Amino acid sequence: MSLVLEKRAERSTRMALLSPVLAILLTLITGAILFSLRGIDPLHGLYVYFVEPLTQLWSIEQLIVKATPLVLIGVGLAICYTANVWNIGAEGQFTIGAILGGMIPVLLPAWQSPLTLITMLLFGILGGMAYAAIPALLKTRFNANEILTSLMLVYVAQLLLDWLVRGPWRDPQGFNFPKTITFDGWQLLPMLFGSVHLGALFALAAALILAFVMGRMLKGFEIRVSGNAPRAGRFAGFSRPRTILFCFLLSGGLAGLAGITEVASVVAQLQPQISPGYGFTAIIVAFLGRLNPIGAIFAGLMLALSYLGGEAAQVSLGLSDRIAKVFQGILLFYILACDTLILYRFRWLKTHVPAAAQPAE
Amino acid sequence: MDASTAVLLTIVTAATPLLLAALGELVSERSGVLNLGVEGMMVMGAVSGFGAALLTGNPYLGVLAAILAGMAMALLFGFLTLTLVTNQVATGLSLTLLGLGLSGLLGESFVGEPGVRLPKWLGIDILIPVSFILTAAVSYVLFRTKAGLVIRAVGDSHSSAHALGYRVILVRYACVLFGGACAGLAGGYLSLVYTPQWVENMTAGRGWIALALVVFSSWLPWRVVVGAYLFGAISILSYTVQTFAMGIPSQLLSSLPYIATILALVFISASRRLTRSNAPACLGQPFVPDR
């Protein structure tokens, strides 16, 4: 008897919906095991990590605040990965968006009008787009692997931010701390309710618009064909380089918007650390959301919960907040593993298939 | 020791982890498996090597632990991509995310602890000659033995190799595990030789540079040596210039290795002759044997 994978005749729709649920369930079970290994009652641990943050109003607001950048970046990446375009440098595009948008309040601290905020947001988007255009052009022009170039640019962007906030853009009244002046007034996003800022609406709008584009418009079809059947796409006259550029500009622009949204709200200034790895966690958001923009909203909330739970676990269980990263990594593994069930099914083979004859020496 | 010898030695020290990790990935890619989790395997090797050496007081056990940690991560990757046929790019990314998180968690109590340094043999770090012996061995096995022929056949055309009766999945598992062992060793080198201490994310993108080096070398082992030493020189140059020229921002110099990686990739990839001739044809493609 041996367990083998067998290709399904067609994609299983049931499994496509079930597999993210299964992945979350398996992550919870693994989490329970992790907690008991650390001598924590697993049920109590799971409650503190995944339920308690949802029981209070202020933490639900925090959940939305944390989900905002994740959804903004995640929907863009979902489109990229659908087209088989591997932008994994969103963290860098996020950083450049924050830098370029943050340039306005840093260089023109006295400028206070609604236009200030609009300019900041536009600069943020343009910064992210321009930075994402680099790996896209290197890919289309020189065939350079976009995974590696976009990732290398993350390190470059973070070093650039580090230099700016320690050097030319440092707040002269900041007691030598590596940070810029604190933004205020029209340099900050207006609040919707509680601690939830306007960025949440941007995230929602981005997801809805992209869901419409992907589901109802030719561009969405073009992107899906380009990812699933590039040859067919070529015959249909869809240009692969243009799809690559489009996907990078779109996801880069959204990551840049997420960057400026974050520094114009939660962070309220530029400093060496402006993101707890949102650009990388958004990769998980894209996959957990089944590369679907609407799915990314739920996935973004789920992963925002993993950040909140990490903080809660630190306070009430005495665990390191790094446990959040571990949960995120494990979740992505389970998502990928469970997705296997969409295209394959497990079957017990009654008799062992004899290995094919070895070729003659 | 005069200044030029000292500089040369630091270049060798910076190049060795890149060389080790890239060699492992090269073998994995030659068998058709693209493992983007090098950074994750490397950082797990670094934390495990450091931890084992610290707890046992024996740096050689640290090296062993680093190798085993890299292999364990590679096994996880292999199970997903080879047995469950998941997307190699996405799985490799998740291996890196998991490795960075898990190593941070495991290494939390090691931060600030003085590490155990791997002793030198006859005045040099033993892993440096090991990296050269490994290069020679990989080159020999890949191009002079039947095993190497099978590995390359599996990487170039898995269905033909399968039709001939070779166990494609098994060969790939072996190559992925070898890649994990090398990446783990490279990580162990960082925490036991390069800077004998544990710092979170101490691999600092070296795993990704190793991946770029495989492309740079156009999948030929001895060219990995050239690439690794070139990058070692660039990263040392950025340190040395820092001490001489006070005016240049240190962040600009620190970003040189990453910028150089991008430029090298562009330069190599633009040449079809270099990339197409040796790239394994089935690189990144899943294989499901038909029954």
Side-chain angles (χ1 to χ4, degrees):
Chain A
M1 290 265 275
S2 65
L3 192 63
V4 295
L5 281 183
E6 191 181 65
K7 212 166 180 121
R8 291 178 192 271
E10 53 187 292
R11 287 174 60 94
S12 160
T13 327
R14 197 164 57 98
M15 271 301 164
L17 290 171
L18 219 63
S19 87
V21 180
L22 201 60
I24 291 173
L25 218 65
L26 286 168
T27 307
L28 292 181
I29 294 171
T30 311
I33 295 170
L34 273 179
F35 286 135
S36 18
L37 285 178
R38 294 290 293 257
I40 299 164
D41 174 25
L43 282 181
H44 177 64
L46 287 180
Y47 178 80
V48 168
Y49 201 106
F50 293 102
V51 183
E52 207 171 47
L54 301 173
T55 54
Q56 280 157 319
L57 183 65
W58 71 268
S59 48
I60 290 183
E61 288 169 11
Q62 277 308 305
L63 191 73
I64 300 174
V65 171
K66 286 216 157 52
T68 296
L70 290 174
V71 173
L72 271 174
I73 308 170
V75 287
L77 294 185
I79 310 291
C80 275
Y81 302 160
T82 306
N84 224 347
V85 173
W86 294 95
N87 175 12
I88 60 167
E91 185 84 0
Q93 293 137 24
F94 178 98
T95 307
I96 296 294
I99 290 175
L100 217 66
M103 184 172 85
I104 310 286
V106 171
L107 299 182
L108 304 167
W111 185 27
Q112 282 286 357
S113 95
L115 260 183
T116 317
L117 185 62
I118 295 170
T119 318
M120 282 169 71
L121 292 173
L122 280 179
F123 271 49
I125 296 171
L126 287 176
M129 286 172 91
Y131 210 56
I134 303 172
L137 291 175
L138 295 182
K139 169 81 178 178
T140 52
R141 182 85 183 72
F142 301 107
N143 194 31
N145 184 312
E146 79 273 26
I147 300 172
L148 295 172
T149 52
S150 66
L151 192 98
M152 289 292 131
L153 288 169
V154 174
Y155 293 99
V156 177
Q158 283 169 344
L159 286 164
L160 176 67
L161 175 66
D162 195 72
W163 172 66
L164 284 171
V165 296
R166 288 177 202 277
W169 287 8
R170 191 169 57 194
D171 180 6
Q173 265 111 51
F175 303 103
N176 252 339
F177 279 111
K179 59 190 186 64
T180 64
I181 54 159
T182 310
F183 305 166
D184 77 332
W186 279 110
Q187 296 158 349
L188 290 176
L189 286 169
M191 289 295 175
L192 293 178
F193 55 89
S195 51
V196 178
H197 54 80
L198 191 62
L201 272 190
F202 297 158
L204 197 62
L208 293 177
I209 292 170
L210 284 177
F212 180 77
V213 170
M214 291 305 285
R216 294 269 180 277
M217 286 172 68
L218 180 65
K219 193 76 201 170
F221 178 69
E222 190 179 319
I223 286 168
R224 272 180 287 130
V225 170
S226 184
N228 285 328
R231 249 172 83 79
R234 266 209 308 283
F235 287 126
F238 299 153
S239 146
R240 179 72 183 156
R242 267 186 42 202
T243 305
I244 292 172
L245 191 61
F246 175 84
C247 288
F248 261 100
L249 290 182
L250 179 81
S251 58
L254 285 169
L257 177 62
I260 184 58
T261 325
E262 194 67 8
V263 295
S265 59
V266 180
V267 191
Q269 63 190 187
L270 289 175
Q271 56 190 39
Q273 279 290 331
I274 51 170
S275 147
Y278 286 138
F280 295 114
T281 307
I283 297 173
I284 309 174
V285 171
F287 281 105
L288 180 62
R290 304 231 51 82
L291 302 187
N292 175 317
I294 302 296
I297 298 177
F298 297 103
L301 287 168
M302 178 70 206
L303 280 145
L305 181 62
S306 78
Y307 277 117
L308 279 191
E311 288 167 16
Q314 197 179 10
V315 176
S316 31
L317 301 177
L319 282 176
S320 155
D321 63 339
R322 293 181 181 88
I323 191 113
K325 287 267 161 250
V326 177
F327 270 125
Q328 293 172 0
I330 292 174
L331 177 62
L332 182 49
F333 260 114
Y334 281 132
I335 298 165
L336 297 169
C338 292
D339 275 4
T340 303
L341 294 171
I342 300 172
L343 293 177
Y344 302 91
R345 66 161 59 94
F346 282 105
R347 235 186 52 158
W348 288 100
L349 271 193
K350 282 274 158 23
T351 49
H352 191 74
V353 182
Q358 292 295 311
E361 293 289 323
Chain B
M1 194 182 344
D2 60 289
S4 57
T5 322
V7 168
L8 202 67
L9 263 180
T10 44
I11 292 176
V12 173
T13 320
T16 302
L18 297 175
L19 174 55
L20 287 170
L23 267 183
E25 177 66 15
L26 184 139
V27 172
S28 172
E29 290 193 18
R30 275 287 184 171
S31 79
V33 184
L34 176 68
N35 186 350
L36 293 181
V38 182
E39 180 89 359
M41 300 189 293
M42 211 168 157
V43 79
M44 283 299 284
V47 76
S48 312
F50 184 89
L54 189 73
L55 296 177
T56 63
N58 185 339
Y60 297 104
L61 283 180
V63 171
L64 186 69
I67 294 174
L68 290 177
M71 288 178 86
M73 294 289 278
L75 188 64
L76 192 61
F77 176 84
F79 178 70
L80 262 88
T81 56
L82 300 173
T83 302
L84 295 182
V85 216
T86 60
N87 180 311
Q88 291 180 9
V89 173
T91 312
L93 286 178
S94 68
L95 197 69
T96 289
L97 291 177
L98 180 67
L100 289 174
L102 202 57
S103 64
L105 192 66
L106 291 173
E108 210 169 31
S109 54
F110 303 152
V111 177
E113 292 271 346
V116 184
R117 198 183 188 288
L118 197 66
K120 294 189 178 207
W121 289 22
L122 305 171
I124 46 168
D125 290 307
I126 181 70
L127 291 181
I128 293 166
V130 164
S131 70
F132 279 94
I133 294 168
L134 208 60
T135 312
V138 165
S139 184
Y140 179 80
V141 169
L142 273 182
F143 300 108
R144 292 278 180 278
T145 66
K146 190 175 168 205
L149 194 65
V150 173
I151 291 173
R152 285 184 290 133
V154 163
D156 276 326
S157 171
H158 46 213
S159 12
S160 314
H162 176 68
L164 284 171
Y166 293 115
R167 307 280 295 271
V168 173
I169 302 292
L170 214 62
V171 171
R172 287 190 171 166
Y173 258 111
C175 291
V176 166
L177 282 175
F178 178 77
C182 288
L185 183 62
Y189 182 92
L190 287 179
S191 64
L192 294 167
V193 178
Y194 195 72
T195 46
Q197 53 176 324
W198 166 252
V199 184
E200 204 177 346
N201 299 342
M202 70 183 292
T203 42
R206 286 189 183 85
W208 296 100
I209 294 180
L211 274 159
L213 281 178
V214 178
V215 181
F216 180 85
S217 72
S218 50
W219 293 268
L220 294 173
W222 286 105
R223 286 194 197 160
V224 177
V225 180
V226 178
Y229 276 74
L230 201 64
F231 277 84
I234 291 169
S235 51
I236 291 310
L237 183 81
S238 62
Y239 286 121
T240 339
V241 172
Q242 233 154 36
T243 51
F244 289 120
M246 297 302 284
I248 305 173
S250 65
Q251 291 92 344
L252 175 67
L253 296 167
S254 305
S255 67
L256 279 183
Y258 308 114
I259 295 173
T261 307
I262 297 174
L263 292 179
L265 270 176
V266 168
F267 179 73
I268 298 293
S269 310
S271 156
R272 291 182 84 81
R273 192 176 52 82
L274 281 177
T275 50
R276 290 296 146 85
S277 52
N278 291 315
C282 284
L283 185 59
Q285 288 173 20
F287 176 71
V288 187
D290 24 84
R291 296 188 170 84

